[in-house]
Amino acid sequence: MRYSIKILGEYVGGNWTEQDLKQWLGMLGLNPVFTRENEETFIEIETPANRGDLFSAIGILRTLAPFSDIEIKYPEKDIIETSDRFLPVEIECFDDCFFYAGRIIESVKVEDSPSWLKEKLISAGFRSVNNVVDITNIVFWEFGQPLHAFDLDLLKEKIIVRRALDGEFIVTLDGVKRELSPQVLVISDSEKPVAVAGVMGGLNSEVTEKTTNLFIESAFFNPVRVRRSSKFLGLVTDASARFEKRVDPSLIIPALDRCCRLINEICGGKISKIITCGKNPDWNKSIDIEKKKIVQYLGCEIPDDFIIKVLTKLGCRVEQMSEYYRVIVPEGRSDLERDVDIIEEIAKYWGYDRIPEQMPLATIAFTPSSQEYLMLDKLRDIFVKLGFTEAVNLGFYGEIERNLFGGQVVEIINPLSRNYAYLRNSLIPGLLQNFRDNFNRKIDCLSLFEVGNIYCQKDHGFFEKPVACAGVVNKWDFYSFKGMIESLLVKIGYHNSVQKVSRSDTGDFVEFLQEGKPVAKIYLPGIRILKAYDLEQQNVFLSEINLEKFLMNGFPLTVYKPVSKYLPVKRDLALIVPDSINWKDVERTLFENIQGLENIEIFDIYRGKGIPEGCTGIAISVVLANKDGVLKKEDIDATVQKIVSILKESFSILLRQ
């Protein structure tokens, strides 16, 4: 909504300049934009979500009043009731509409608006329709209370504020036929909907030049219900935007009376007594503010008379006590909820530039973090650097997870519900649930990790075990994921772990063993598990790492190794390897016995013609280096021959001829 400085000036006693308004609105943080049209200056402001009062000229003027000695000239609203006509009003649910008021105006003349009204209306950003509709819009601009005019003769018997029925339709004033649902609040007569409450009127009760009798509506609709109606219909109007920010209950009847007075002056007619249903919400909000708290928050003393003047001009009533102020907040300022909100208002009008720049004095006690916490925090950083996002899940699960994964679990004596009946013995079910929740929200490519405790049963009670869990969906292939986990295990001190492949009814596992004990596993869920989490069409890989040894020993020491000045030498070997051999043992033996061996890499695996049964053809590259000089051919040949000998003698691995 926009405001003409010239027309705003008609509602105040006193003078201001354009520069004053720029400064004041800027101090209030409303980011004003000034434009000029036909030698007239207009203001548009950013209205915060909790400041519905700024949707009106009176609200703007109230906000500006504390900056100067201007007095607001409130629009005249006195009327004379000369009609006895009555229209019953019913509200089916008072949660949807707290209060509904209206007046009948008989024998009006609907025609084009006078030029002064058109000028004021266009300056406010509305288009002229006819004198009645234009008056409802200009009163909306003045008071911020949406109003609607019905053709009384097109209404049947009564007004009912109710939810729409399934299958009902309404043609709104924009000419669009709209299907309704019980989410939508409507204004209805005894036969049909005649308006979408708080959003837009219906074409079947529109005021036209043929209209002679009016029913003017002014109400307090539930902001949540209006928003749901607006969202369902895909229809946003000035009225719906205003109702969503909560109207000022104290202005419902004054705005109605102001509208009826203007219609009587411009269109003629006889005004009925007010017709109401429901009750305006009781409003008696008072906030106590300690004087010392103002000083603590702002860092300076502000005179009592300034505080009282500002709050009074904002529409508050202020009672001054020796140690505090009691502030009775006006109905239109629902944003003022606590003492700090009042202190913020005082600071705005005092001026932030007048508040001294001073660091607050505070004593903050240093709390040293435990070594365990620091190590886990660093571990989280490693996961994040590898591209994972942290998840935090509850330490419980229910019957479904227990039946899916089995194992011994610790049952809770008095659970909140059956969904939280057991302490978790693995982090994997939690990550699978995270994957499902994200997949249901169209996030089908994801990598997550969690660091936390699992709970294992023992003879008497249970014990906690720290673990880390990582998982991916449609992110990497299996070997990339496995390589990432192997790299992580090395970073946290699990070197030279032995790998063992196993299967169960829940899926396939690659276990990592050290000294015969499992330290980690990679898990490929089976189809039964994937179906339970609606992930059967996705590529899912998970890993769980035991952190007990890591927390005991910490991160391994990183040792610097100088880079050789001389180029390394690479030799390829084609081998026939018995399937019973664990390749990790082969690598460990070669590194222990071959001086200058830098790396061993498998680059091909072959099974088929020429390979004996029970064996596999493996091609490897070995990288040799000498930090003291260039390797000679005879030294290289001797080292390769030694490698071949160790492979044959220790593992029965032969060179492929």
Side-chain angles (χ1 to χ4, degrees):
M1 202 174 290
R2 67 177 191 168
Y3 304 93
S4 160
I5 293 180
K6 174 185 172 185
I7 295 177
L8 276 178
E10 297 174 7
Y11 292 83
V12 297
N15 296 314
W16 57 28
T17 66
E18 184 176 326
Q19 190 58 41
D20 290 335
L21 291 177
K22 283 183 180 178
Q23 180 185 350
W24 297 341
L25 293 170
M27 288 175 67
L28 295 173
L30 299 177
N31 300 325
V33 175
F34 288 77
T35 56
R36 291 190 67 82
E37 293 179 20
N38 301 325
E39 299 183 355
E40 190 170 353
T41 303
F42 295 90
I43 312 168
E44 290 186 70
I45 62 172
E46 288 184 12
T47 306
N50 63 346
R51 290 297 304 273
D53 60 299
L54 296 178
F55 264 87
S56 68
I58 289 175
I60 292 285
L61 294 173
R62 277 181 176 171
T63 304
L64 296 175
F67 283 116
S68 68
D69 293 327
I70 61 171
E71 295 294 333
I72 302 173
K73 296 179 181 178
Y74 289 94
E76 295 180 359
K77 58 184 186 298
D78 295 335
I79 56 175
I80 300 174
E81 299 167 347
T82 55
S83 170
D84 295 327
R85 195 158 174 184
F86 181 77
L87 180 68
V89 174
E90 298 175 6
I91 299 175
E92 287 193 353
C93 178
F94 289 99
D95 285 339
D96 292 333
C97 177
F98 308 133
F99 181 65
Y100 191 97
R103 287 186 187 271
I104 293 170
I105 308 179
E106 295 183 286
S107 305
V108 299
K109 186 176 181 181
V110 180
E111 57 186 2
D112 208 18
S113 294
S115 57
W116 66 266
L117 180 56
K118 279 186 179 180
E119 179 186 344
K120 180 179 279 193
L121 192 76
I122 292 169
S123 76
F126 296 99
R127 65 179 183 86
S128 179
V129 178
N130 57 51
N131 50 10
V132 171
V133 175
D134 291 356
I135 289 168
T136 60
N137 283 331
I138 205 64
V139 174
F140 174 34
W141 179 85
E142 290 177 337
F143 285 80
Q145 171 65 40
L147 303 160
H148 186 66
F150 297 94
D151 186 326
L152 180 64
D153 298 326
L154 298 177
L155 302 178
K156 303 296 182 183
E157 298 180 7
K158 59 183 175 180
I159 285 287
I160 308 170
V161 184
R162 62 172 174 83
R163 299 280 187 91
L165 307 176
D166 277 322
E168 278 192 312
F169 288 86
I170 187 173
V171 179
T172 46
L173 288 172
D174 56 2
V176 178
K177 184 178 181 180
R178 302 180 187 275
E179 184 177 359
L180 305 174
S181 86
Q183 293 187 52
V184 179
L185 187 67
V186 297
I187 309 300
S188 171
D189 60 15
S190 60
E191 297 179 355
K192 62 191 179 299
V194 293
V196 180
V199 182
M200 185 178 282
L203 209 59
N204 56 6
S205 59
E206 180 185 19
V207 173
T208 67
E209 292 181 359
K210 297 178 181 179
T211 302
T212 56
N213 300 308
L214 303 171
F215 178 72
I216 310 297
E217 163 197 280
S218 183
F220 190 148
F221 299 118
N222 188 324
V224 175
R225 181 54 50 199
V226 173
R227 177 164 179 77
R228 287 180 180 168
S229 300
S230 175
K231 293 283 282 185
F232 177 82
L233 297 173
L235 182 61
V236 178
T237 62
D238 288 332
S240 69
R242 179 66 187 94
F243 276 116
E244 287 176 21
K245 289 180 168 60
R246 190 183 184 276
V247 297
D248 183 348
S250 67
L251 296 178
I252 293 173
I253 292 176
L256 175 64
D257 290 348
R258 167 66 172 168
C259 180
C260 292
R261 178 189 174 100
L262 283 176
I263 291 174
N264 177 257
E265 289 178 355
I266 296 170
C267 313
K270 297 183 291 182
I271 304 171
S272 76
K273 292 183 179 179
I274 193 165
I275 303 163
T276 62
C277 186
K279 184 183 178 184
N280 250 333
D282 292 330
W283 186 269
N284 186 23
K285 182 191 285 187
S286 65
I287 300 173
D288 290 343
I289 311 161
E290 294 182 72
K291 295 181 179 180
K292 65 179 181 182
K293 195 169 186 179
I294 298 175
V295 178
Q296 289 171 353
Y297 272 60
L298 301 185
C300 63
E301 293 272 359
I302 297 180
D304 290 342
D305 56 349
F306 178 85
I307 293 172
I308 294 170
K309 175 189 171 184
V310 165
L311 296 179
T312 302
K313 287 214 165 192
L314 289 176
C316 302
R317 288 190 292 113
V318 184
E319 299 173 9
Q320 184 178 1
M321 312 298 180
S322 58
E323 301 295 330
Y324 65 93
Y325 302 102
R326 175 159 292 164
V327 180
I328 292 84
V329 179
E331 291 179 89
R333 292 300 302 271
S334 57
D335 60 301
L336 302 179
E337 298 180 343
R338 301 176 298 160
D339 54 359
V340 290
D341 298 325
I342 303 291
I343 294 172
E344 182 183 11
E345 292 299 302
I346 294 168
K348 285 178 186 176
Y349 292 99
W350 180 252
Y352 291 120
D353 57 325
R354 299 173 66 187
I355 296 174
E357 296 179 8
Q358 183 177 336
M359 288 294 292
L361 297 176
T363 303
I364 302 174
F366 174 72
T367 304
S369 297
S370 68
Q371 190 64 27
E372 179 179 313
Y373 174 85
L374 293 173
M375 286 196 296
L376 290 177
D377 201 41
K378 190 173 180 181
L379 177 62
R380 290 184 175 95
D381 287 342
I382 293 173
F383 273 113
V384 171
K385 288 172 183 175
L386 289 172
F388 291 88
T389 301
E390 185 171 11
V392 180
N393 294 305
L394 294 175
F396 314 100
Y397 59 47
E399 292 284 355
I400 295 174
E401 291 83 1
R402 182 193 183 191
N403 294 335
L404 280 173
F405 293 94
Q408 290 187 324
V409 292
V410 180
E411 187 170 2
I412 297 171
I413 296 173
N414 187 24
L416 294 172
S417 75
R418 296 313 299 169
N419 292 329
Y420 305 109
Y422 304 96
L423 293 176
R424 64 186 178 186
N425 62 3
S426 170
L427 300 186
I428 286 173
L431 283 197
L432 286 170
Q433 181 65 48
N434 297 145
F435 290 153
R436 176 165 64 182
D437 292 342
N438 280 277
F439 190 77
N440 290 341
R441 290 159 178 80
K442 309 302 181 188
I443 302 173
D444 55 2
C445 184
L446 193 65
S447 53
L448 296 177
F449 80 93
E450 182 175 10
V451 177
N453 289 331
I454 60 174
Y455 304 89
C456 305
Q457 211 167 30
K458 60 181 183 180
D459 293 338
H460 301 287
F462 64 92
F463 65 93
E464 294 179 319
K465 190 158 83 172
V467 295
C469 187
V472 297
V473 178
N474 303 329
K475 191 78 177 273
W476 302 303
D477 62 22
F478 170 75
Y479 292 104
S480 299
F481 180 69
K482 178 173 176 286
M484 197 168 289
I485 297 303
E486 289 175 334
S487 170
L488 180 70
L489 290 175
V490 171
K491 286 179 182 292
I492 63 175
Y494 295 158
H495 296 278
N496 302 320
S497 55
V498 176
Q499 297 175 20
K500 175 184 172 185
V501 178
S502 62
R503 284 190 167 175
S504 74
D505 61 340
T506 63
D508 298 336
F509 295 87
V510 178
E511 288 188 286
F512 295 84
L513 309 174
Q514 270 200 336
E515 300 173 0
K517 296 180 180 179
V519 294
K521 65 183 176 185
I522 291 177
Y523 172 48
L524 284 72
I527 190 65
R528 180 172 69 90
I529 301 296
L530 293 175
K531 279 186 175 180
Y533 289 93
D534 300 326
L535 297 169
E536 61 269 27
Q537 302 298 321
Q538 316 309 315
N539 292 320
V540 180
F541 309 120
L542 297 121
S543 175
E544 197 165 61
I545 304 168
N546 183 352
L547 299 179
E548 286 180 304
K549 186 177 176 184
F550 163 66
L551 291 177
M552 188 182 302
N553 299 330
F555 287 94
L557 184 65
T558 302
V559 179
Y560 170 71
K561 180 181 178 182
V563 178
S564 175
K565 299 177 183 178
Y566 308 100
L567 287 175
V569 174
K570 184 167 78 170
R571 289 289 184 268
D572 296 340
L573 300 174
L575 308 172
I576 297 175
V577 182
D579 291 342
S580 60
I581 296 299
N582 187 313
W583 187 253
K584 282 284 184 183
D585 294 337
V586 175
E587 288 184 336
R588 184 172 60 252
T589 301
L590 290 177
F591 278 116
E592 288 174 355
N593 292 280
I594 303 299
Q595 187 176 2
L597 179 61
E598 281 201 342
N599 190 35
I600 303 171
E601 182 179 346
I602 297 175
F603 66 86
D604 190 30
I605 297 176
Y606 171 71
R607 293 183 179 92
K609 186 177 178 180
I611 304 299
E613 188 176 348
C615 295
T616 301
I618 296 178
I620 66 172
S621 290
V622 293
V623 178
L624 306 172
N626 181 9
K627 65 180 180 179
D628 298 323
V630 177
L631 284 170
K632 297 178 181 178
K633 184 178 183 301
E634 53 269 26
D635 295 332
I636 297 170
D637 293 341
T639 303
V640 171
Q641 188 57 47
K642 186 176 180 181
I643 291 173
V644 172
S645 298
I646 292 173
L647 293 175
K648 182 179 179 180
E649 293 169 7
S650 301
F651 302 100
S652 301
I653 296 174
L654 304 176
L655 271 179
R656 185 179 171 190
Q657 302 299 323

